[in-house]
């Protein structure tokens, strides 16, 4: 039985796109060194080395991309200069997009992370495209899904719904017929966008 299972696994790997397969042991060791390094320079050098040795394997780009993404998140939290986080996010986007190009069903986190990066950078159209690919992602093997896939999917569905509603709302043309509210408005000034305070005691508006 064990022999049969090994044969089946071997046949399945042969049928799979080579770009979607794990790299060889030598490259895996380099990736492990990169991910475990506390020195960003050493990590980057090892990731680059892994890519040089396995340029057609999605895993090396995915691992480097996720490392850069996490590094970007940390930079946004701890570095007062947002350009540092921006650079890491740009690198992560480049690497993850390459991984998706090589193996479209490599991992659900590919599309989720690309969506988050672009949404954070205010590129909502691109973010929407990546999020839709994330929602549509399917794979027969559970290891190709993120640990929080169900939670992420619920959040993305909610986000896409909110964005769709916002687009519908702004697309609707409504009559603009402002009127003076007695004892509230100032007749001599143009006042717009009234908003009540949380305790309903104050009214804020724009002039």
């Amino acid at each position: 039985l064990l022999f049969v299972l090994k044969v089946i696994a071997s046949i399945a790997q042969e049928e799979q796109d080579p770009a979607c397969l794990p790299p060889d042991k030598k490259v895996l060791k380099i990736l492990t060194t990169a991910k475990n390094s506390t020195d960003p320079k050493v990590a980057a050098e090892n990731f680059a080395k892994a890519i040089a040795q396995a340029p057609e394997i999605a895993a090396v780009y995915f691992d480097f991309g996720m490392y850069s993404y996490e590094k970007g998140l940390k930079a946004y939290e701890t570095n007062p200069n947002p350009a540092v986080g921006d650079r890491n996010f740009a690198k992560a986007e480049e690497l993850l997009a390459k991984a998706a190009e090589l193996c479209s069903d490599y991992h659900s986190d590919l599309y989720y992370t690309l969506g988050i990066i672009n949404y954070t950078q205010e590129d909502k159209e691109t973010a929407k495209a990546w999020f839709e690919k994330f929602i549509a992602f399917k794979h027969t093997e559970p290891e190709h899904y993120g640990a929080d896939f169900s939670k992420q999917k619920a959040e993305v569905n909610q986000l896409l719904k909110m964005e769709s509603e916002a687009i519908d709302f702004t697309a609707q043309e409504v009559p603009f017929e402002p009127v003076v509210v007695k004892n509230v408005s100032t007749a001599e000034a143009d006042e717009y966008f009234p908003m009540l305070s949380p305790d309903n005691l104050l009214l804020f508006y724009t002039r």
Side-chain angles (χ1 to χ4, degrees):
L1 179 61
L2 182 60
F3 174 75
V4 172
L5 289 174
K6 285 184 176 180
V7 170
I8 293 173
S10 177
I11 293 171
Q13 282 201 341
E14 286 177 5
E15 292 177 347
Q16 194 173 2
D17 186 339
C20 299
L21 296 174
D24 62 36
K25 290 182 179 180
K26 184 179 179 180
V27 175
L28 281 174
K29 186 175 180 180
I30 296 170
L31 288 174
T32 301
T33 300
K35 288 186 283 188
N36 292 339
S37 177
T38 56
D39 185 336
K41 184 178 179 181
V42 173
E45 288 173 350
N46 278 280
F47 278 124
K49 187 177 178 182
I51 288 174
Q53 294 192 22
E56 299 302 320
I57 300 295
V60 295
Y61 297 96
F62 176 76
D63 285 355
F64 195 3
M66 294 305 295
Y67 171 86
S68 298
Y69 172 69
E70 294 295 337
K71 191 178 171 186
L73 288 178
K74 186 174 181 180
Y76 284 129
E77 293 173 359
T78 60
N79 196 313
N81 181 7
V84 178
D86 290 345
R87 285 196 296 271
N88 282 291
F89 266 28
K91 185 65 176 178
E93 182 178 12
E94 174 193 342
L95 291 161
L96 294 174
K98 179 64 176 179
E101 177 188 330
L102 287 170
C103 180
S104 61
D105 64 348
Y106 181 75
H107 202 282
S108 66
D109 282 346
L110 269 178
Y111 301 111
Y112 177 78
T113 308
L114 283 165
I116 292 293
I117 289 172
N118 281 277
Y119 194 82
T120 303
Q121 302 300 318
E122 298 294 327
D123 186 351
K124 293 187 178 181
E125 281 301 312
T126 304
K128 180 175 179 287
W130 288 122
F131 280 144
E132 287 174 346
K133 288 188 176 184
F134 167 73
I135 295 297
F137 183 86
K138 293 186 184 301
H139 204 286
T140 56
E141 301 296 332
E143 60 265 26
H144 291 270
Y145 290 87
D148 296 324
F149 178 76
S150 296
K151 180 182 176 183
Q152 291 171 340
K153 190 171 183 178
E155 290 173 349
V156 169
N157 275 322
Q158 181 64 24
L159 179 63
L160 291 175
K161 181 182 177 184
M162 289 172 57
E163 288 298 321
S164 177
E165 289 173 349
I167 291 171
D168 291 342
F169 178 77
T170 55
Q172 293 176 4
E173 291 189 11
V174 295
F176 182 66
E177 300 173 352
V179 296
V180 173
V181 180
K182 190 177 180 181
N183 298 325
V184 176
S185 300
T186 305
E188 297 78 17
D190 292 331
E191 297 169 346
Y192 307 95
F193 307 120
M195 180 181 296
L196 283 168
S197 61
D199 57 11
N200 293 324
L201 296 178
L202 298 173
L203 181 67
F204 298 94
Y205 50 83
T206 301
R207 283 188 178 178

